[in-house]
Amino acid sequence: MKSAPATAGVEGQVRALVNAERAAAGCGPVAADDGLAAVARAHSTAMRDRGFFDHVDPDGLDPIDRADRGGVAARAENIARGQADPSAVMTSWMASPGHRANILNCGLTRLGVGVATGSGGPWWTQLFG
């Protein structure tokens, strides 16, 4: 079970797919943000290891709280579970109005992606700033 850096290539693929969708919608690209990625990876890993799937963790912390504790500023989060690869998870997110809105929000300029693998997963988190 790994949560990165082994998945960094997969995380970069997700960001590239996000930027392709944003370009098609007339938005500028999101830049990779290592701080947001660290918080996203930690959330994906926590969902796997603690057996939950939610934006709010069992300690009651939401994405903004978790980012703040990680020393970064976040404005939106997308999560997913079980999609086999970056293309599948992006298809899922783009089919969901709320997730799609985050991806295509031109005011969001930074992105951290975190993936945790394991039985029942993978778990995907996008954290936007």
Side-chain angles (χ1 to χ4, degrees):
M1 291 189 214
K2 297 184 179 183
S3 59
T7 58
V10 171
E11 293 167 0
Q13 291 172 31
V14 170
R15 189 177 62 260
L17 291 169
V18 165
N19 282 333
E21 294 288 353
R22 289 170 63 89
C27 289
V30 288
D33 186 297
D34 291 339
L36 290 172
V39 175
R41 281 185 206 111
H43 188 59
S44 290
T45 301
M47 287 190 293
R48 176 193 68 199
D49 294 350
R50 297 179 74 187
F52 74 97
F53 179 71
D54 203 312
H55 294 285
V56 178
D57 69 24
D59 301 319
L61 299 176
D62 67 22
I64 307 307
D65 297 327
R66 289 190 304 275
D68 187 52
R69 286 190 175 191
V72 295
R75 295 178 46 206
E77 180 183 74
N78 289 343
I79 60 174
R81 177 180 172 200
Q83 295 82 0
D85 57 43
S87 179
V89 76
M90 280 300 295
T91 297
S92 178
W93 280 327
M94 292 305 288
S96 164
H99 296 111
R100 179 184 183 91
N102 287 339
I103 290 166
L104 300 181
N105 181 339
C106 296
L108 301 174
T109 60
R110 297 174 297 112
L111 175 62
V113 179
V115 182
T117 59
S119 179
W123 291 259
W124 304 85
T125 303
Q126 290 181 319
L127 193 57
F128 293 89

